Each structure stands twice: as structure tokens, then as C-alpha cells.
């Protein structure tokens, strides 16, 4: 404990409460920065933010909660879909994960970012499959699927760039295909 001058943790929402507590305790005078987005939690509908804030109330240092004004890397079309999914998530789990969780994600970028595109395929025709196999040769392309379909997807799309949600997190491919 108290081994480090400061601790910096990204994707805090994916750590267990015990891990968060141990990381908090590892910093001298609880000098820590924890980056969190409860909308990106892969395993828990309960936010780590309130737990983290409860840890900070027992320290000497008064906690600061800084909310980013919006997303800096998502095109508006993608944010529109994400916001619809957030609405569905909130209906399914009975509301926001905590009182500080934003109900929508805004774009913080006002530049001419690529607007993005979402395409839905009802079936994989041979033409679509051939196109996806061609795209799969690029390192800017990734396929995301459930663990039980990884082998199948690698064979079907003739690529090793097939990931689960847990594995793809943090990557920034230009194109992502969900299988």
C-alpha cells in the first residue's frame, strides 16, 4: 500500500471492486485518477463510480469528478445508435447505473469528422462474404463476436482478426463487423 506517487487507471468500470480498492490504496495520499464510463461496462449493471466516490470520502483529499463534455472519437451517426442503445439499456436495467451517468452521449467534436456508417445484413450472400473477406485482410478491419463463434468466424472470413467484446475493447479499427 502507498507504494506509488500516483495511480492512473483507465477503463475502471471493468475492474472488480477489490481491484479498484487496492489500486486506490497503492497511491500515496490516495493520489489517483480513475477514468470510467459505465456505458462501457462489459459485465456489471452497477456502476463502479459510486463505489470509487465512497472510497474518496475517507481520504484526506477531496474528490473531483470531471465529466467530459462529450465523445471526441465517435461520429454522430454512431452516437445516434449508441444513444438509442443506452435508452434500451436503461429500460432493461431500470434506469441509469448511477446518478452521474449521462443519459445521452454528445459529440464534443465540431470538425468535419467522417460521419460513419452502420450497415445491417439480413443474410451473408456470397457477394457480401467475398467483400468482407477482402476487408478482413486489412489491419483497419476487425470482426467482433461471442467467444463460441470465434473459430467459426476466423474460418469463414479467412482472418485472425476476430475478437470477443472483451478483447476488442480499446482498439480503434476504422471498420468493425459484428458477427
Amino acid at each position: 500500500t502507498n507504494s506509488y506517487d500516483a495511480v492512473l487507471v483507465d477503463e475502471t468500470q471493468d475492474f472488480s471492486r477489490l481491484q479498484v480498492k487496492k489500486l486506490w490504496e497503492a497511491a500515496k495520499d490516495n493520489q489517483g485518477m480513475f477514468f470510467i464510463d459505465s456505458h462501457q461496462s462489459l459485465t456489471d449493471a452497477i456502476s463502479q463510480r459510486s463505489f470509487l466516490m465512497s472510497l474518496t470520502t475517507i481520504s484526506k483529499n477531496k474528490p473531483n469528478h470531471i465529466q467530459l463534455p462529450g465523445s471526441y472519437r465517435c461520429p454522430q451517426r454512431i452516437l445516434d445508435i449508441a444513444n438509442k442503445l443506452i435508452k434500451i439499456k436503461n429500460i432493461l436495467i431500470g434506469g441509469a447505473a448511477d446518478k452521474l451517468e449521462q443519459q445521452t452521449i454528445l459529440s464534443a467534436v465540431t470538425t468535419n469528422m467522417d460521419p460513419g456508417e452502420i450497415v445491417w445484413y439480413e443474410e451473408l450472400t456470397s457477394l457480401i462474404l467475398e467483400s468482407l473477406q477482402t476487408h478482413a485482410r486489412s489491419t483497419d478491419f476487425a470482426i467482433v463476436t461471442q467467444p463460441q463463434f470465434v473459430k467459426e468466424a476466423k474460418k469463414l472470413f479467412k482472418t485472425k482478426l476476430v475478437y470477443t467484446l472483451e478483447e476488442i475493447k480499446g482498439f480503434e479499427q476504422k471498420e468493425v463487423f459484428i458477427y
Side-chain angles (χ1 to χ4, degrees):
T1 61
N2 295 324
S3 307
Y4 301 95
D5 291 332
V7 172
L8 179 77
V9 181
D10 195 14
E11 305 289 356
T12 303
Q13 70 276 359
D14 294 330
F15 288 79
S16 72
R17 289 183 178 214
L18 179 60
Q19 289 170 319
V20 170
K21 186 174 187 284
K22 293 293 183 188
L23 287 164
W24 176 256
E25 292 170 349
K28 291 178 186 169
D29 298 320
N30 304 118
Q31 291 293 314
M33 292 181 73
F34 293 80
F35 299 91
I36 187 167
D37 183 350
S38 54
H39 291 308
Q40 293 183 20
S41 179
L42 296 175
T43 59
D44 204 349
I46 300 169
S47 174
Q48 291 283 33
R49 186 177 6 239
S50 55
F51 175 71
L52 185 58
M53 295 303 279
S54 74
L55 288 177
T56 60
T57 58
I58 58 173
S59 84
K60 294 185 249 180
N61 303 315
K62 188 171 182 159
N64 288 321
H65 179 263
I66 301 168
Q67 187 77 41
L68 292 178
S71 172
Y72 288 88
R73 59 184 178 182
C74 272
Q76 190 59 52
R77 286 183 188 165
I78 306 302
L79 291 176
D80 292 343
I81 295 292
N83 286 328
K84 288 176 183 173
L85 292 172
I86 289 167
K87 249 185 189 173
I88 293 168
K89 176 197 85 159
N90 287 342
I91 290 168
L92 292 174
I93 67 169
D98 64 53
K99 65 182 180 181
L100 296 172
E101 183 179 80
Q102 293 180 322
Q103 297 300 305
T104 58
I105 302 170
L106 303 173
S107 177
V109 180
T110 56
T111 61
N112 292 333
M113 179 186 279
D114 180 344
E117 181 179 22
I118 298 174
V119 178
W120 182 273
Y121 298 114
E122 290 291 332
E123 66 176 279
L124 281 178
T125 65
S126 58
L127 188 60
I128 293 170
L129 180 58
E130 188 178 319
S131 174
L132 290 169
Q133 288 170 339
T134 301
H135 284 277
R137 292 186 199 127
S138 166
T139 55
D140 287 331
F141 182 86
I143 298 167
V144 181
T145 191
Q146 296 292 321
Q148 65 267 28
F149 300 121
V150 169
K151 267 186 177 177
E152 177 184 320
K154 284 180 178 182
K155 186 176 177 184
L156 181 64
F157 298 104
K158 300 177 182 176
T159 183
K160 294 181 180 183
L161 301 177
V162 178
Y163 305 94
T164 64
L165 283 173
E166 291 80 7
E167 294 168 334
I168 195 80
K169 195 162 185 177
F171 286 23
E172 291 190 26
Q173 264 70 18
K174 290 181 181 176
E175 294 182 273
V176 177
F177 180 74
I178 301 172
Y179 177 72

